[in-house]
Amino acid sequence: MFFINFLKISSILLAIVGASFGIPLAIAIGNSESQMFLPFIIPMLISFVLCAVVTLSTRKIKFSMSIKQTFVIVAFSWVIMAIMGSFPLFFSGCFASYADALFESVSGFTTTGATVLSEVENLPRSVNMLRCLTHWIGGMGIVTLTVALLPLLGVGGFQLIKAETTGPEKGKVTARITTTAKVLWGIYLGFTIAETIALMIAGMDFTDALSHAFATLGTGGFSTKNASIGTYNSVAVEIIITVFMFLSGINFSLFVYLGKGKVKDFFSNAEFKAYIGILFSVIFIVTISLIPYYGGLGKSLRYSSFQAVSLMTTTGFGTADYLQWPMITQFFLFMLFFVGGCSGSTSGGIKVVRWVVLAKQLNNETKRMLHPHGIFTIRLNGKVSSKDIVLSVTSFMFLYFVLTAITVMIGCLGKLDILTSATGALSMIGNVGPAFGLLGPTSNYGALPVFVKLWYCFAMLAGRLELYTMIIFFLPNYWRK
């Protein structure tokens, strides 16, 4: 039964990804890129045929799954999806090896935005569109999309989403999980259309505008230009992308409340207030620090706000090489690698809500030292949270830094210096993209040894699925009955 359920979901996911290839295929046709027709068409047809065969042959079998099976299905679905996305990239002839194509695909779907390419402007426009499209699909989550489109998965839909995003704050914003998924994807699509139109008004052509909208809303960071957003040297473009990166870092459920007129719930949300506080504080400090560097407030604010929002939301776009900035600015930007966006957003990272929980727990521990017999609880958004939330967050943090340490070691084995290894590890697990050292904003991951690239693929997937979904298979408790 499990194998049949696995086949059902996997074939549906592959068909969704295959159907999405229609967008870059249309770009290939429009730009007469005939060499790209077959790399898109063949995987599309194979995915459609496979989905049709599996669906027809299992249509009478009732869908059900256990919690253990849910983790397997979600984890391997993302692996299969990344492999599927790597085929057009590899057969395009634009990548030196299959390992490079797989790395690019994993980086795309996990919205990391780390690339092995140095000359993206030389790629066919359809390939660049595919790279950015993977961000958009992976941003809101392919499993969430599946639940939205297929009510037949409604029974286990919430289980799938829980396995995909294991944050401390999660629930249904509507009565049915399928309705929730559709509403969230509707908001996501609306933002994408709005940004595409805005970027076209600001001077981009349709293909570049749509590509960058996909990358922005997915908080991925792939660009069609070698110098990323800095190529355009346009204040209007930078403002538009900054605004949509900022919006993409917010819990999308809050936009549902905003749409229902619950403005107070939106602005009083503890995580949102912390998100605003951290981001604006860093922008202020970096701006002040850059005034001597740029010679004025305007330019300092322009570059600091873009880069701070880009790194905190784990998007990874760039308009300047922050490794050339004063060390104090680099320090504060580096600290954003540990934060990430809000839970329920398309951003990666540890997530702001976990830091909020830890800060509240620290406050309680301080009170407990002064008042040993007092009873102190954590309140989130006016509601008392159970002690389990603290245990969940501390366990996650422990696992996060253990995986980071292992990834740093792998980088060192690949002969990277300690700064590059450390920031590269944080970038991969946090799905940020650029790092420091040899993997800075003007560099790429192409020169890394194959074994480092493959481990980074695992780290990116683990980070996108918030660790547990990928790592749980290595824990003895999973295999015990």
Tab-separated table of all heavy atoms in Angstrom, residues 324-363:
chain	number	residue	atom	x	y	z
A	324	GLN	N	33.426	44.163	-0.041
A	324	GLN	CA	34.268	45.351	-0.150
A	324	GLN	C	33.858	46.426	0.853
A	324	GLN	O	34.512	47.459	0.960
A	324	GLN	CB	34.188	45.928	-1.578
A	324	GLN	CG	34.575	44.949	-2.678
A	324	GLN	CD	35.980	44.392	-2.506
A	324	GLN	OE1	36.917	45.142	-2.211
A	324	GLN	NE2	36.126	43.086	-2.677
A	325	TRP	N	32.770	46.202	1.554
A	325	TRP	CA	32.275	47.178	2.519
A	325	TRP	C	33.081	47.106	3.816
A	325	TRP	O	33.805	46.124	4.049
A	325	TRP	CB	30.802	46.919	2.816
A	325	TRP	CG	29.872	47.247	1.684
A	325	TRP	CD1	30.212	47.819	0.498
A	325	TRP	CD2	28.464	47.026	1.636
A	325	TRP	NE1	29.100	47.963	-0.299
A	325	TRP	CE2	28.001	47.481	0.377
A	325	TRP	CE3	27.533	46.486	2.515
A	325	TRP	CZ2	26.670	47.419	0.002
A	325	TRP	CZ3	26.201	46.423	2.151
A	325	TRP	CH2	25.774	46.891	0.898
A	326	PRO	N	32.958	48.125	4.685
A	326	PRO	CA	33.660	48.093	5.979
A	326	PRO	C	33.323	46.844	6.777
A	326	PRO	O	32.216	46.290	6.660
A	326	PRO	CB	33.136	49.353	6.688
A	326	PRO	CG	32.737	50.272	5.574
A	326	PRO	CD	32.218	49.386	4.479
A	327	MET	N	34.249	46.374	7.588
A	327	MET	CA	34.091	45.133	8.332
A	327	MET	C	32.866	45.146	9.251
A	327	MET	O	32.207	44.120	9.420
A	327	MET	CB	35.352	44.839	9.156
A	327	MET	CG	36.515	44.352	8.322
A	327	MET	SD	36.122	42.768	7.518
A	327	MET	CE	37.568	42.578	6.475
A	328	ILE	N	32.545	46.292	9.838
A	328	ILE	CA	31.407	46.344	10.752
A	328	ILE	C	30.101	46.075	10.012
A	328	ILE	O	29.185	45.438	10.546
A	328	ILE	CB	31.348	47.713	11.488
A	328	ILE	CG1	30.292	47.684	12.597
A	328	ILE	CG2	31.094	48.844	10.511
A	328	ILE	CD1	30.572	46.700	13.703
A	329	THR	N	30.006	46.524	8.751
A	329	THR	CA	28.803	46.244	7.969
A	329	THR	C	28.747	44.756	7.610
A	329	THR	O	27.676	44.149	7.629
A	329	THR	CB	28.764	47.078	6.672
A	329	THR	OG1	29.872	46.715	5.834
A	329	THR	CG2	28.847	48.555	6.982
A	330	GLN	N	29.902	44.183	7.306
A	330	GLN	CA	29.941	42.756	6.999
A	330	GLN	C	29.500	41.927	8.209
A	330	GLN	O	28.841	40.893	8.062
A	330	GLN	CB	31.344	42.348	6.556
A	330	GLN	CG	31.780	42.942	5.225
A	330	GLN	CD	33.118	42.403	4.762
A	330	GLN	OE1	33.388	41.201	4.870
A	330	GLN	NE2	33.967	43.279	4.237
A	331	PHE	N	29.878	42.391	9.387
A	331	PHE	CA	29.491	41.665	10.605
A	331	PHE	C	27.976	41.597	10.738
A	331	PHE	O	27.415	40.520	10.971
A	331	PHE	CB	30.085	42.341	11.843
A	331	PHE	CG	29.498	41.843	13.129
A	331	PHE	CD1	29.877	40.614	13.660
A	331	PHE	CD2	28.534	42.586	13.810
A	331	PHE	CE1	29.315	40.135	14.841
A	331	PHE	CE2	27.971	42.127	14.995
A	331	PHE	CZ	28.359	40.891	15.513
A	332	PHE	N	27.296	42.732	10.579
A	332	PHE	CA	25.848	42.740	10.764
A	332	PHE	C	25.137	41.973	9.651
A	332	PHE	O	24.122	41.314	9.885
A	332	PHE	CB	25.330	44.180	10.857
A	332	PHE	CG	25.573	44.808	12.203
A	332	PHE	CD1	26.626	45.681	12.398
A	332	PHE	CD2	24.759	44.480	13.281
A	332	PHE	CE1	26.857	46.238	13.649
A	332	PHE	CE2	24.978	45.041	14.528
A	332	PHE	CZ	26.030	45.920	14.720
A	333	LEU	N	25.670	42.044	8.432
A	333	LEU	CA	25.085	41.245	7.348
A	333	LEU	C	25.304	39.756	7.610
A	333	LEU	O	24.423	38.927	7.338
A	333	LEU	CB	25.710	41.645	6.007
A	333	LEU	CG	25.379	43.050	5.504
A	333	LEU	CD1	26.109	43.322	4.196
A	333	LEU	CD2	23.876	43.230	5.322
A	334	PHE	N	26.467	39.420	8.144
A	334	PHE	CA	26.754	38.022	8.482
A	334	PHE	C	25.774	37.499	9.532
A	334	PHE	O	25.331	36.351	9.469
A	334	PHE	CB	28.189	37.902	8.994
A	334	PHE	CG	28.536	36.550	9.550
A	334	PHE	CD1	28.609	35.441	8.723
A	334	PHE	CD2	28.787	36.382	10.907
A	334	PHE	CE1	28.925	34.188	9.236
A	334	PHE	CE2	29.101	35.140	11.420
A	334	PHE	CZ	29.171	34.040	10.589
A	335	MET	N	25.397	38.332	10.493
A	335	MET	CA	24.468	37.915	11.537
A	335	MET	C	23.102	37.544	10.961
A	335	MET	O	22.385	36.723	11.530
A	335	MET	CB	24.310	39.021	12.591
A	335	MET	CG	25.579	39.319	13.391
A	335	MET	SD	26.304	37.828	14.146
A	335	MET	CE	25.035	37.413	15.342
A	336	LEU	N	22.748	38.144	9.819
A	336	LEU	CA	21.457	37.819	9.192
A	336	LEU	C	21.419	36.386	8.676
A	336	LEU	O	20.336	35.828	8.470
A	336	LEU	CB	21.180	38.803	8.047
A	336	LEU	CG	20.952	40.264	8.453
A	336	LEU	CD1	20.704	41.113	7.219
A	336	LEU	CD2	19.801	40.389	9.432
A	337	PHE	N	22.597	35.777	8.454
A	337	PHE	CA	22.648	34.382	8.031
A	337	PHE	C	22.028	33.468	9.088
A	337	PHE	O	21.600	32.362	8.787
A	337	PHE	CB	24.101	33.953	7.790
A	337	PHE	CG	24.651	34.329	6.440
A	337	PHE	CD1	24.760	35.654	6.058
A	337	PHE	CD2	25.053	33.364	5.537
A	337	PHE	CE1	25.267	36.009	4.826
A	337	PHE	CE2	25.569	33.701	4.290
A	337	PHE	CZ	25.670	35.038	3.935
A	338	PHE	N	22.000	33.923	10.336
A	338	PHE	CA	21.473	33.112	11.427
A	338	PHE	C	19.981	33.350	11.670
A	338	PHE	O	19.387	32.689	12.517
A	338	PHE	CB	22.227	33.421	12.734
A	338	PHE	CG	23.664	33.013	12.715
A	338	PHE	CD1	24.645	33.900	12.305
A	338	PHE	CD2	24.052	31.740	13.108
A	338	PHE	CE1	25.985	33.543	12.293
A	338	PHE	CE2	25.387	31.368	13.086
A	338	PHE	CZ	26.353	32.265	12.676
A	339	VAL	N	19.393	34.292	10.951
A	339	VAL	CA	18.015	34.682	11.268
A	339	VAL	C	17.002	34.070	10.306
A	339	VAL	O	16.209	33.205	10.670
A	339	VAL	CB	17.869	36.221	11.287
A	339	VAL	CG1	16.446	36.604	11.690
A	339	VAL	CG2	18.877	36.840	12.254
A	340	GLY	N	17.025	34.516	9.045
A	340	GLY	CA	16.036	34.035	8.089
A	340	GLY	C	14.760	34.847	8.156
A	340	GLY	O	14.650	35.819	8.904
A	341	GLY	N	13.770	34.439	7.373
A	341	GLY	CA	12.488	35.131	7.352
A	341	GLY	C	11.523	34.568	8.377
A	341	GLY	O	11.921	33.904	9.336
A	342	CYS	N	10.259	34.841	8.171
A	342	CYS	CA	9.222	34.366	9.086
A	342	CYS	C	8.805	32.942	8.733
A	342	CYS	O	8.943	32.501	7.592
A	342	CYS	CB	7.989	35.269	9.003
A	342	CYS	SG	8.288	36.984	9.479
A	343	SER	N	8.274	32.229	9.709
A	343	SER	CA	7.705	30.915	9.425
A	343	SER	C	6.498	31.119	8.515
A	343	SER	O	5.803	32.134	8.600
A	343	SER	CB	7.262	30.233	10.728
A	343	SER	OG	6.258	31.004	11.369
A	344	GLY	N	6.250	30.171	7.628
A	344	GLY	CA	5.126	30.315	6.712
A	344	GLY	C	5.410	31.241	5.545
A	344	GLY	O	4.509	31.570	4.773
A	345	SER	N	6.674	31.686	5.412
A	345	SER	CA	7.065	32.501	4.265
A	345	SER	C	7.824	31.607	3.290
A	345	SER	O	8.012	30.421	3.537
A	345	SER	CB	7.962	33.658	4.716
A	345	SER	OG	9.237	33.167	5.131
A	346	THR	N	8.277	32.184	2.194
A	346	THR	CA	9.089	31.401	1.255
A	346	THR	C	10.572	31.470	1.611
A	346	THR	O	11.390	30.869	0.929
A	346	THR	CB	8.885	31.891	-0.194
A	346	THR	OG1	9.292	33.261	-0.288
A	346	THR	CG2	7.420	31.778	-0.604
A	347	SER	N	10.907	32.205	2.659
A	347	SER	CA	12.307	32.356	3.075
A	347	SER	C	12.828	31.100	3.759
A	347	SER	O	12.056	30.302	4.301
A	347	SER	CB	12.447	33.537	4.042
A	347	SER	OG	12.094	34.737	3.418
A	348	GLY	N	14.149	30.969	3.752
A	348	GLY	CA	14.793	29.876	4.474
A	348	GLY	C	15.300	30.360	5.818
A	348	GLY	O	14.765	31.303	6.402
A	349	GLY	N	16.357	29.712	6.309
A	349	GLY	CA	16.955	30.129	7.572
A	349	GLY	C	16.296	29.509	8.788
A	349	GLY	O	15.379	28.693	8.685
A	350	ILE	N	16.781	29.923	9.938
A	350	ILE	CA	16.272	29.385	11.200
A	350	ILE	C	14.834	29.812	11.440
A	350	ILE	O	14.053	29.078	12.043
A	350	ILE	CB	17.189	29.834	12.368
A	350	ILE	CG1	18.547	29.120	12.239
A	350	ILE	CG2	16.564	29.530	13.723
A	350	ILE	CD1	19.599	29.594	13.227
A	351	LYS	N	14.453	30.967	10.985
A	351	LYS	CA	13.142	31.591	11.103
A	351	LYS	C	13.069	32.465	12.359
A	351	LYS	O	13.511	32.094	13.444
A	351	LYS	CB	11.994	30.574	11.107
A	351	LYS	CG	11.910	29.709	9.858
A	351	LYS	CD	11.556	30.519	8.624
A	351	LYS	CE	11.160	29.661	7.436
A	351	LYS	NZ	12.156	28.700	6.991
A	352	VAL	N	12.468	33.624	12.196
A	352	VAL	CA	12.382	34.626	13.254
A	352	VAL	C	11.645	34.105	14.474
A	352	VAL	O	12.026	34.376	15.614
A	352	VAL	CB	11.692	35.904	12.721
A	352	VAL	CG1	11.484	36.917	13.842
A	352	VAL	CG2	12.510	36.524	11.590
A	353	VAL	N	10.587	33.321	14.253
A	353	VAL	CA	9.751	32.884	15.382
A	353	VAL	C	10.547	32.057	16.385
A	353	VAL	O	10.300	32.113	17.591
A	353	VAL	CB	8.522	32.097	14.881
A	353	VAL	CG1	8.910	30.736	14.313
A	353	VAL	CG2	7.504	31.935	16.012
A	354	ARG	N	11.528	31.316	15.919
A	354	ARG	CA	12.331	30.506	16.844
A	354	ARG	C	13.178	31.403	17.745
A	354	ARG	O	13.358	31.110	18.926
A	354	ARG	CB	13.212	29.523	16.064
A	354	ARG	CG	12.410	28.411	15.385
A	354	ARG	CD	13.322	27.307	14.862
A	354	ARG	NE	12.520	26.194	14.368
A	354	ARG	CZ	12.179	26.013	13.106
A	354	ARG	NH1	12.562	26.894	12.191
A	354	ARG	NH2	11.450	24.979	12.745
A	355	TRP	N	13.698	32.479	17.177
A	355	TRP	CA	14.452	33.430	17.997
A	355	TRP	C	13.536	34.143	18.986
A	355	TRP	O	13.943	34.466	20.109
A	355	TRP	CB	15.183	34.433	17.111
A	355	TRP	CG	16.300	33.821	16.325
A	355	TRP	CD1	16.346	33.632	14.972
A	355	TRP	CD2	17.519	33.289	16.846
A	355	TRP	NE1	17.521	33.019	14.610
A	355	TRP	CE2	18.268	32.797	15.739
A	355	TRP	CE3	18.057	33.163	18.119
A	355	TRP	CZ2	19.517	32.210	15.877
A	355	TRP	CZ3	19.310	32.577	18.269
A	355	TRP	CH2	20.024	32.115	17.157
A	356	VAL	N	12.294	34.393	18.577
A	356	VAL	CA	11.321	35.007	19.487
A	356	VAL	C	11.059	34.087	20.677
A	356	VAL	O	11.049	34.526	21.835
A	356	VAL	CB	9.987	35.309	18.750
A	356	VAL	CG1	8.901	35.738	19.740
A	356	VAL	CG2	10.193	36.389	17.694
A	357	VAL	N	10.874	32.796	20.393
A	357	VAL	CA	10.633	31.820	21.467
A	357	VAL	C	11.831	31.757	22.410
A	357	VAL	O	11.677	31.757	23.644
A	357	VAL	CB	10.338	30.425	20.876
A	357	VAL	CG1	10.337	29.356	21.965
A	357	VAL	CG2	8.997	30.436	20.153
A	358	LEU	N	13.039	31.697	21.856
A	358	LEU	CA	14.239	31.621	22.692
A	358	LEU	C	14.428	32.887	23.531
A	358	LEU	O	14.840	32.816	24.697
A	358	LEU	CB	15.473	31.380	21.826
A	358	LEU	CG	15.588	29.992	21.188
A	358	LEU	CD1	16.846	29.912	20.343
A	358	LEU	CD2	15.590	28.894	22.235
A	359	ALA	N	14.122	34.044	22.943
A	359	ALA	CA	14.247	35.301	23.689
A	359	ALA	C	13.256	35.339	24.846
A	359	ALA	O	13.598	35.771	25.964
A	359	ALA	CB	14.011	36.486	22.749
A	360	LYS	N	12.045	34.865	24.600
A	360	LYS	CA	11.034	34.832	25.669
A	360	LYS	C	11.430	33.830	26.756
A	360	LYS	O	11.221	34.077	27.950
A	360	LYS	CB	9.666	34.477	25.078
A	360	LYS	CG	9.026	35.595	24.268
A	360	LYS	CD	7.686	35.171	23.693
A	360	LYS	CE	7.025	36.317	22.935
A	360	LYS	NZ	6.575	37.413	23.820
A	361	GLN	N	12.020	32.708	26.339
A	361	GLN	CA	12.465	31.726	27.322
A	361	GLN	C	13.622	32.270	28.156
A	361	GLN	O	13.696	32.031	29.369
A	361	GLN	CB	12.877	30.429	26.616
A	361	GLN	CG	13.362	29.322	27.530
A	361	GLN	CD	12.306	28.856	28.514
A	361	GLN	OE1	11.115	29.127	28.340
A	361	GLN	NE2	12.713	28.136	29.554
A	362	LEU	N	14.525	33.005	27.518
A	362	LEU	CA	15.631	33.639	28.249
A	362	LEU	C	15.092	34.618	29.288
A	362	LEU	O	15.573	34.672	30.431
A	362	LEU	CB	16.556	34.360	27.268
A	362	LEU	CG	17.703	35.175	27.887
A	362	LEU	CD1	18.649	34.264	28.674
A	362	LEU	CD2	18.459	35.924	26.797
A	363	ASN	N	14.079	35.374	28.895
A	363	ASN	CA	13.450	36.319	29.821
A	363	ASN	C	12.827	35.585	31.009
A	363	ASN	O	12.958	36.009	32.168
A	363	ASN	CB	12.391	37.128	29.080
A	363	ASN	CG	11.748	38.187	29.957
A	363	ASN	OD1	12.429	38.980	30.587
A	363	ASN	ND2	10.425	38.197	30.000
